[in-house]
Amino acid sequence: AQSVTQLGSHVSVSEGALVLLRCNYSSSVPPYLFWYVQYPNQGLQLLLKYTSAATLVKGINGFEAEFKKSETSFHLTKPSAHMSDAAEYFCAVSPEGAQKLVFGQGTRLTINP
Amino acid sequence: DAGVTQSPTHLIKTRGQQVTLRCSPKSGHDTVSWYQQALGQGPQFIFQYYEEEERQRGNFPDRFSGHQFPNYSSELNVNALLLGDSALYLCASSLAGQAFQETQYFGPGTRLLVL
């Protein structure tokens, strides 16, 4: 079964610093990959998705992610962190032929002033 | 354009009771999926409904059942509640078709506490 692993349950960066959230997937075929963000007491909001059109995917709020097949990775980055980026981030895979999302455990991002 | 809405926002039940959660999809969407998110974990897929039928199901017992209405809204029912059913229940809507690449839009969730 396809799955995703998010390395680091908690990441802390300073305001203005680079944000890097790691996600690795297990799949024998190119999957469809997503990053979602969850603010406290809210549902999930889509940041970006990879559907094989381009390996570098740009999303909302200045986030982007790069699909690297050789590394089976889909890491999320943002050049300069803002206080409003503090939230829980989830990587998810949608297996081809399946009607569902499989989520990672999540990474809590904390921004230090 | 209204997004995905869910009701109620919070719910407290006792063990053994039954609960019904409701979801209205984003305008124009015809597919509804339900997820369970336990505290500190990622959401787990429960099932998906399309054309008023369950299209796919995750690894959840039969105590979890659902329904989709002709207007595409959906209900999630959980019978014989257990303490472990305490979680945030998320509804997501999408368009039919190649659903594995369709974006799922999530509602704010219903937080269920079982005592």
Side-chain angles (χ1 to χ4, degrees):
Chain A
Q2 294 190 2
S3 64
V4 292
T5 301
Q6 293 184 239
L7 300 176
S9 60
H10 191 190
V11 170
S12 182
V13 302
S14 298
E15 190 174 19
L18 171 71
V19 175
L20 171 61
L21 305 182
R22 301 176 186 274
C23 173
N24 288 89
Y25 66 91
S26 66
S27 174
S28 58
V29 297
Y32 294 91
L33 293 159
F34 303 78
W35 275 99
Y36 281 86
V37 60
Q38 186 175 36
Y39 297 101
N41 300 314
Q42 294 188 28
L44 279 72
Q45 180 182 6
L46 179 71
L47 279 176
L48 49 82
K49 69 176 182 180
Y50 167 76
T51 57
S52 76
T55 56
L56 183 62
V57 182
K58 293 187 182 298
I60 62 171
N61 301 338
F63 284 94
E64 63 182 34
E66 185 173 8
F67 175 76
K68 291 186 176 180
K69 184 178 179 180
S70 62
E71 299 178 7
T72 61
S73 69
F74 190 57
H75 300 334
L76 181 71
T77 60
K78 182 174 180 178
S80 178
H82 192 273
M83 295 299 291
S84 61
D85 295 327
E88 188 89 20
Y89 290 80
F90 293 96
C91 181
V93 63
S94 185
E96 186 169 347
Q99 316 297 340
K100 64 181 183 180
L101 288 169
V102 177
F103 286 88
Q105 289 288 89
T107 297
R108 180 168 299 278
L109 177 64
T110 301
I111 311 297
N112 302 312
Chain B
D1 177 23
V4 180
T5 60
Q6 293 185 243
S7 63
T9 56
H10 294 80
L11 206 51
I12 300 176
K13 293 286 188 178
T14 57
R15 281 178 297 175
Q17 285 189 313
Q18 178 265 345
V19 69
T20 297
L21 311 181
R22 297 176 175 81
C23 171
S24 291
K26 181 179 170 64
S27 179
H29 285 182
D30 55 10
T31 302
V32 174
S33 303
W34 287 92
Y35 293 81
Q36 179 195 66
Q37 185 180 17
L39 197 62
Q41 298 188 21
Q44 299 285 318
F45 175 77
I46 303 175
F47 43 55
Q48 184 180 84
Y49 276 83
Y50 171 66
E51 290 189 338
E52 302 180 47
E53 291 191 359
E54 184 180 291
R55 185 154 71 166
Q56 188 166 15
R57 188 178 184 91
N59 188 26
F60 279 80
D62 292 344
R63 297 187 298 108
F64 289 78
S65 63
H67 187 77
Q68 185 179 36
F69 299 93
N71 66 353
Y72 308 121
S73 67
S74 176
E75 288 182 349
L76 165 65
N77 301 292
V78 186
N79 295 321
L81 285 167
L82 303 174
L83 296 180
D85 295 331
S86 295
L88 179 67
Y89 288 85
L90 295 164
C91 170
S93 73
S94 56
L95 279 171
Q98 293 181 308
F100 51 86
Q101 62 176 295
E102 292 294 331
T103 298
Q104 294 191 20
Y105 293 84
F106 285 80
T110 293
R111 188 164 298 279
L112 172 65
L113 177 61
V114 182
L115 300 176

